[in-house]
Amino acid sequence: MGRPRTPLLDRERITTTALQLVDEQGDFSVPQIAKLLGVQTGSVYHHVDGRDGIVELLRERVAAAIDPETLDATPWDTALESWARSYRAAFAAHPKAIPLLMTSPVRAPRVLEQYERAVTLLLDAGFAPPSVMPLIIALENLVLGSALDLAAPETMWELTEESPTPHLAEALAAVAGGRADQAFEVGLTALMNHARTLRAEGTA
């Protein structure tokens, strides 16, 4: 028999299938990927560097939706805020991938390149080197937590008569729709204000 015109297996198909599994169940296994693609498990390993390699392919796939051009905006705070919003949107599209990706070291070259650009942005803006990574990590914590929150139910507090909480009820009643978006704006505003303070200290 001749070879199929469309290869049964390549890195793109493996990544797409792994992401499909993660979106559905929060994780994947190489045998599951092989079964969905109609190949032997060993065949998958010919194209990737084990499970860790697939995780990095997933990281690249999800992070590819982050607009890198946001880091070219001026001034620096507009760039950082725009990057945060694009970062959040990319991961909000695949919230079940967040725990998987955030518990393994970042090795994907294209993702590391984006971190390099973010670090360069802050250094060029005058931030002191010791303040750069804590700021980026704090931004990530905000972004990824909010991306998870977007996947949660709009109503996260179910009040009962057994546990009277009148002040909580009043506060919840005062919140309009989109609680996750409102909370993200509060957090991002606070982080950006802190970043401006750090920059001022670094350039003083």
Side-chain angles (χ1 to χ4, degrees):
M1 294 179 64
R3 296 174 64 88
R5 292 184 179 180
T6 303
L8 291 176
L9 207 57
D10 58 35
R11 289 162 69 91
E12 287 297 313
R13 289 184 175 218
I14 292 170
T15 305
T16 297
T17 304
L19 186 56
Q20 174 188 333
L21 288 167
V22 171
D23 284 343
E24 291 173 354
Q25 61 190 31
D27 204 348
F28 71 91
S29 71
V30 177
Q32 284 179 315
I33 292 172
K35 182 177 180 180
L36 287 173
L37 291 174
V39 299
Q40 296 296 314
T41 299
S43 299
V44 177
Y45 287 111
H46 290 311
H47 296 267
V48 297
D49 185 18
R51 177 182 167 87
D52 289 345
I54 297 174
V55 170
E56 287 310 290
L57 289 173
L58 287 171
R59 193 189 308 278
E60 284 199 336
R61 174 70 65 84
V62 176
I66 304 173
D67 181 4
E69 301 305 315
T70 55
L71 292 169
D72 293 330
T74 54
W76 69 269
D77 49 356
T78 296
L80 190 63
E81 184 172 335
S82 298
W83 186 57
R85 294 184 187 283
S86 183
Y87 195 150
R88 178 182 183 240
F91 277 79
H94 304 283
K96 290 184 179 180
I98 294 174
L100 178 67
L101 298 178
M102 294 306 107
T103 52
S104 64
V106 180
R107 289 185 288 268
R110 278 182 279 183
V111 177
L112 289 172
E113 288 171 9
Q114 196 158 152
Y115 280 102
E116 175 71 9
R117 292 182 66 177
V119 169
T120 301
L121 168 73
L122 296 178
L123 291 175
D124 288 349
F127 282 82
S131 69
V132 170
M133 287 312 299
L135 181 59
I136 289 177
I137 293 168
L139 183 143
E140 277 197 319
N141 290 343
L142 170 65
V143 162
L144 296 174
S146 183
L148 281 171
D149 198 18
L150 283 169
E154 179 67 21
T155 302
M156 284 297 294
W157 293 265
E158 294 185 355
L159 308 186
T160 64
E161 293 182 359
E162 288 77 12
S163 300
T165 51
H167 294 121
L168 175 58
E170 180 182 6
L172 289 173
V175 177
R179 62 164 186 80
D181 289 332
Q182 292 184 58
F184 176 69
E185 294 302 326
V186 170
L188 185 59
T189 298
L191 185 141
M192 293 305 302
N193 287 339
H194 179 64
R196 294 181 186 100
T197 299
L198 286 176
R199 178 178 178 271
E201 292 172 351
T203 58

